[in-house]
Amino acid sequence: AQSVTQLDSHVSVSEGTPVLLRCNYSSSYSPSLFWYVQHPNKGLQLLLKYTSAATLVKGINGFEAEFKKSETSFHLTKPSAHMSDAAEYFCVVSDPRGYNKLIFGAGTRLAVHP
Amino acid sequence: NAGVTQTPKFQVLKTGQSMTLQCAQDMNHNSMYWYRQDPGMGLRLIYYSASEGTTDKGEVPNGYNVSRLNKREFSLRLESAAPSQTSVYFCASSEGETQYFGPGTRLLVL
């Protein structure tokens, strides 16, 4: 069975400091992994995805994530937080069988302080 | 190119009332999905449609029905709303692994 665990429900950083949002996954297959962002009262936007090419994946708005198979992790990072990064972030794994089912983590709410 | 659109944006229902949530996509995607989002639980799949004319149950289908009207449109119906169905509902579409989400419908059942 596939599952996703986001290790922090809330993360708070100061503007200009690094961001680290942690995600571990469990999968019986070679997974595809995603990070989505949801700004308040908005839909979900794809930040980046890993599909077995390069292990370091670059996304939009300066975010990147590194796939580490040995640690079953897919942590999201950004060198310098902006106020506009405040949002909820979801780590997602795709089940390749059948209909590309997405399995969502519970989410990490990122707060950015001046 | 509007992507995925959903109507209504917000709805209040009384217990036992029925309603249909509408979803449309203009990306010519074959697959469409309905999710619900509840606090602390991420998104959970209600129903999906792999292609026009087919629908299948997801993780939490009880109390819902769906219709894939054509390739563009996928509706979600609550026949007899219950307070447990208070949630934010998202529609998504995909061609391959990446799903694209609509802005959501916020539903309150009293």
Side-chain angles (χ1 to χ4, degrees):
Chain A
Q2 294 180 272
S3 65
V4 176
T5 302
Q6 292 185 242
L7 299 171
D8 307 290
S9 59
H10 291 84
V11 170
S12 182
V13 301
S14 297
E15 191 174 21
T17 64
V19 175
L20 170 64
L21 306 183
R22 299 182 295 163
C23 172
N24 286 350
Y25 70 92
S26 172
S27 176
S28 304
Y29 304 87
S30 295
S32 291
L33 293 157
F34 306 79
W35 277 98
Y36 280 85
V37 60
Q38 184 181 29
H39 288 93
N41 299 314
K42 300 290 186 182
L44 281 77
Q45 180 184 18
L46 179 67
L47 269 182
L48 52 81
K49 67 177 182 179
Y50 165 78
T51 55
S52 76
T55 56
L56 183 62
V57 182
K58 294 188 183 298
I60 62 172
N61 300 332
F63 284 94
E64 61 182 35
E66 186 171 9
F67 173 72
K68 292 187 176 180
K69 186 175 181 179
S70 60
E71 300 176 8
T72 61
S73 69
F74 190 57
H75 301 335
L76 182 70
T77 61
K78 183 173 181 178
S80 176
H82 293 185
M83 296 296 290
S84 60
D85 294 329
E88 187 146 25
Y89 293 79
F90 293 96
C91 183
V92 181
V93 63
S94 174
D95 184 338
R97 300 166 296 169
Y99 56 92
N100 291 316
K101 175 183 176 181
L102 294 186
I103 299 166
F104 283 76
T108 297
R109 185 165 296 278
L110 175 66
V112 182
H113 302 287
Chain B
N1 189 339
V4 180
T5 57
Q6 294 182 235
T7 55
K9 291 184 179 179
F10 181 72
Q11 184 73 46
V12 180
L13 291 178
K14 295 181 180 178
T15 297
Q17 287 185 318
S18 62
M19 79 162 294
T20 300
L21 282 65
Q22 306 286 353
C23 173
Q25 53 94 7
D26 62 2
M27 295 175 282
N28 203 35
H29 289 165
N30 279 313
S31 300
M32 297 185 73
Y33 311 81
W34 276 105
Y35 294 88
R36 60 177 289 171
Q37 182 181 28
D38 301 294
M41 300 186 73
L43 274 70
R44 293 180 293 168
L45 183 66
I46 304 171
Y47 271 92
Y48 69 98
S49 171
S51 62
E52 185 179 353
T54 68
T55 62
D56 284 286
K57 295 178 180 179
E59 186 182 352
V60 288
N62 291 344
Y64 304 96
N65 286 300
V66 291
S67 296
R68 183 74 182 267
L69 304 170
N70 47 55
K71 192 171 185 178
R72 289 187 66 248
E73 299 172 291
F74 188 37
S75 62
L76 178 72
R77 183 161 178 84
L78 288 71
E79 291 291 351
S80 178
S84 60
Q85 294 178 305
T86 292
S87 189
V88 182
Y89 291 85
F90 288 99
C91 178
S93 70
S94 75
E95 195 67 50
E97 290 180 307
T98 303
Q99 294 186 18
Y100 299 88
F101 288 82
T105 293
R106 198 169 289 271
L107 177 65
L108 174 62
V109 183
L110 301 174

